[in-house]
């Protein structure tokens, strides 16, 4: 089966990762790209070998496509996804799904009612490192998990700064950009859901407009496990990592909070230390492969729309906590509440 895609947004992430990931699939084809700037659409299509360039969502959705990949700024996701669903197109949307978890729930409900596949492009759960950690936790290799730490503070490249650090109305800031990923990866690796978060945010000199460019969060999960996470745009020399500590051992992963299949995972127990082996498949190739399978009725996207609601509700709660100075409970059915 061929799957013809339309790109909603002539984005950097599509150029760097998603175009190749779609074309790596058997039957994967990119038929058109949409940008509200007609010249940008034309030049993007020309540079990336895409047959058609359009400047309106209506024109894209009327073209011969089966699915859309949405990578526009965050405030546009809801309207674009709902229009695509109404047009009968499957939707793979960048995170966060919307600006609020209430809007994300609208997207999920619309897709379910229409029989449309909706996925959230949480790439990290497709990494071999995180899947190896998940398997180790689930199989009891570290006993009962009691604590976790995520180090995901990086330096935001100049070409990606733009709206992320200047436009609150577009959903900028590090929490909606990175904390959503950390919440999702914690859920995936632990097989557990967060129920409460306390957070601090900072503006360390990069972000303007009242936006945050750094955050530290403390999470409580249903099982009683506690976790901490550090997200940032301003740390040029920090490495990334993910640790899970249990009653019988620890998992210590380095350089794994990345878009590439890199890093290492160390299992440390009373028996000593063991480097876990894992596959190095391209994260986005795997994500699109699962999405294609879901279209065929075989399983679900790597991250579903429901997963996108969870990560957004978690980030929403972190922002509320940082603003109020209080811990905030997380309920993906209701949105985050104090």
């Amino acid at each position: 089966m061929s799957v013809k895609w339309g790109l909603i947004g002539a984005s950097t992430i599509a150029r760097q990762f998603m175009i190749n990931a779609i074309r790596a699939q058997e039957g994967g084809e990119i038929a058109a790209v949409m940008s509200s700037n007609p010249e940008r659409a034309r030049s993007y299509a020309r540079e990336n070998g895409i047959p058609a360039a359009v400047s309106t969502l209506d024109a894209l959705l009327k073209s011969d496509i089966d699915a859309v990949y949405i990578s526009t700024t965050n405030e546009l996701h809801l309207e674009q996804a709902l229009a695509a669903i109404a047009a009968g197109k499957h939707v793979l949307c960048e995170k966060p799904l919307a600006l609020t978890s209430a809007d994300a729930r609208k997207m999920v409900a619309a897709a379910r009612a229409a029989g449309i596949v909706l996925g959230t492009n949480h790439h990290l759960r497709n990494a071999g490192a995180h899947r190896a950690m998940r398997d180790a936790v689930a199989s009891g290799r570290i006993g009962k998990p009691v604590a976790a730490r995520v180090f995901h503070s990086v330096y935001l490249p100049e070409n990606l700064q733009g709206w992320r650090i200047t436009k609150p109305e577009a959903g900028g800031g590090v929490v909606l950009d990175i904390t959503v990923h950390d919440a999702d990866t914690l859920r995936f690796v632990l097989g557990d859901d967060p129920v409460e978060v306390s957070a601090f945010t900072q503006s360390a000199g990069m972000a303007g407009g009242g936006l945050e460019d750094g955050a530290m969060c403390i999470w409580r999960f249903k099982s009683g496990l506690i976790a901490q996470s550090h997200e940032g745009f301003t740390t040029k020399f920090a490495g990334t990592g993910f640790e899970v500590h249990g009653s019988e051992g620890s998992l210590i992963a380095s350089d794994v909070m990345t878009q590439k299949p890199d890093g290492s995972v160390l299992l440390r127990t009373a028996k000593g230390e063991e480097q876990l082996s894992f596959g190095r498949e391209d994260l986005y190739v795997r994500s699109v492969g699962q999405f294609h399978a879901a279209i065929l009725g075989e399983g679900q996207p790597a991250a579903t729309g429901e997963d996108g609601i969870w990560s957004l509700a978690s980030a929403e709660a972190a922002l509320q906590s940082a603003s109020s100075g209080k811990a905030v409970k997380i309920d993906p059915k209701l949105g985050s509440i104090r």
Side-chain angles (χ1 to χ4, degrees):
M1 171 188 172
S2 66
V3 179
K4 295 182 179 179
W5 286 78
L7 304 181
I8 300 179
S11 67
T12 299
I13 188 173
R15 183 176 66 249
Q16 290 182 336
F17 297 102
M18 290 298 293
I19 290 174
N20 288 339
I22 291 169
R23 289 172 174 165
Q25 312 300 321
E26 183 177 355
E29 177 184 343
I30 301 171
V33 59
M34 186 219 87
S35 171
S36 58
N37 182 323
E39 178 50 40
R40 178 172 172 82
R42 287 191 294 270
S43 62
Y44 193 93
R46 183 173 60 253
E47 292 164 4
N48 294 286
I50 299 171
V54 298
S55 57
T56 68
L57 183 60
D58 186 58
L60 184 81
L61 296 178
K62 286 181 178 178
S63 63
D64 182 20
I65 58 173
D66 306 298
V68 298
Y69 168 60
I70 299 175
S71 59
T72 48
T73 51
N74 297 333
E75 86 281 11
L76 301 175
H77 292 179
L78 174 65
E79 180 183 354
Q80 292 169 339
L82 291 179
I85 291 166
K89 314 301 182 185
H90 301 291
V91 177
L92 180 58
C93 186
E94 270 305 322
K95 54 75 216 169
L97 285 183
L99 292 184
T100 68
S101 55
D103 282 347
R105 290 194 300 277
K106 292 178 185 177
M107 293 166 63
V108 170
R112 186 182 297 122
I116 291 297
V117 175
L118 171 65
T120 309
N121 203 29
H122 276 306
H123 63 281
L124 288 169
R125 58 169 57 207
N126 292 286
H130 295 131
R131 302 185 73 77
M133 295 177 74
R134 176 184 171 92
D135 291 345
V137 170
S139 62
R141 298 194 72 185
I142 64 168
K144 175 181 172 58
V146 296
R149 296 198 295 172
V150 178
F151 315 100
H152 198 176
S153 185
V154 297
Y155 188 78
L156 187 66
E158 187 174 349
N159 68 306
L160 294 180
Q161 291 177 12
W163 64 271
R164 287 177 175 84
I165 59 170
T166 59
K167 293 186 177 181
E169 69 276 13
V174 76
V175 172
L176 289 182
D177 200 64
I178 299 183
T179 305
V180 285
H181 277 315
D182 292 349
D184 182 72
T185 310
L186 282 162
R187 287 187 66 239
F188 177 77
V189 169
L190 298 171
D192 200 357
D193 293 325
V195 294
E196 188 175 16
V197 61
S198 293
F200 288 97
T201 58
Q202 70 177 165
S203 294
M206 178 183 288
L211 288 169
E212 79 288 347
D213 51 29
M216 284 194 176
C217 307
I218 300 174
W219 309 86
R220 186 184 304 279
F221 283 74
K222 286 182 179 178
S223 66
L225 177 143
I226 55 175
Q228 64 184 82
S229 66
H230 176 204
E231 298 87 22
F233 285 157
T234 61
T235 53
K236 292 183 178 180
F237 306 105
T240 70
F242 193 145
E243 299 176 358
V244 184
H245 304 286
S247 59
E248 305 298 328
S250 289
L251 292 164
I252 301 169
S254 300
D255 301 319
V256 293
M257 308 303 289
T258 171
Q259 292 170 295
K260 298 181 180 180
D262 294 338
S264 62
V265 180
L266 177 71
L267 171 64
R268 183 180 293 151
T269 67
K271 296 179 181 179
E273 296 185 345
E274 175 188 347
Q275 288 286 345
L276 300 187
S277 60
F278 51 87
R280 303 281 176 169
E281 182 182 7
D282 182 285
L283 282 64
Y284 295 93
V285 170
R286 188 182 188 283
S287 174
V288 176
Q290 280 203 232
F291 193 85
H292 277 205
I295 291 175
L296 294 173
E298 302 169 3
Q300 295 182 318
T304 63
E306 288 82 0
D307 291 321
I309 293 173
W310 262 109
S311 62
L312 180 51
S314 300
E316 206 172 35
L319 287 170
Q320 288 184 16
S321 174
S323 175
S324 68
K326 300 177 181 179
V328 173
K329 294 182 179 180
I330 302 165
D331 185 339
K333 295 179 182 178
L334 301 174
S336 54
I337 55 174
R338 291 183 188 177

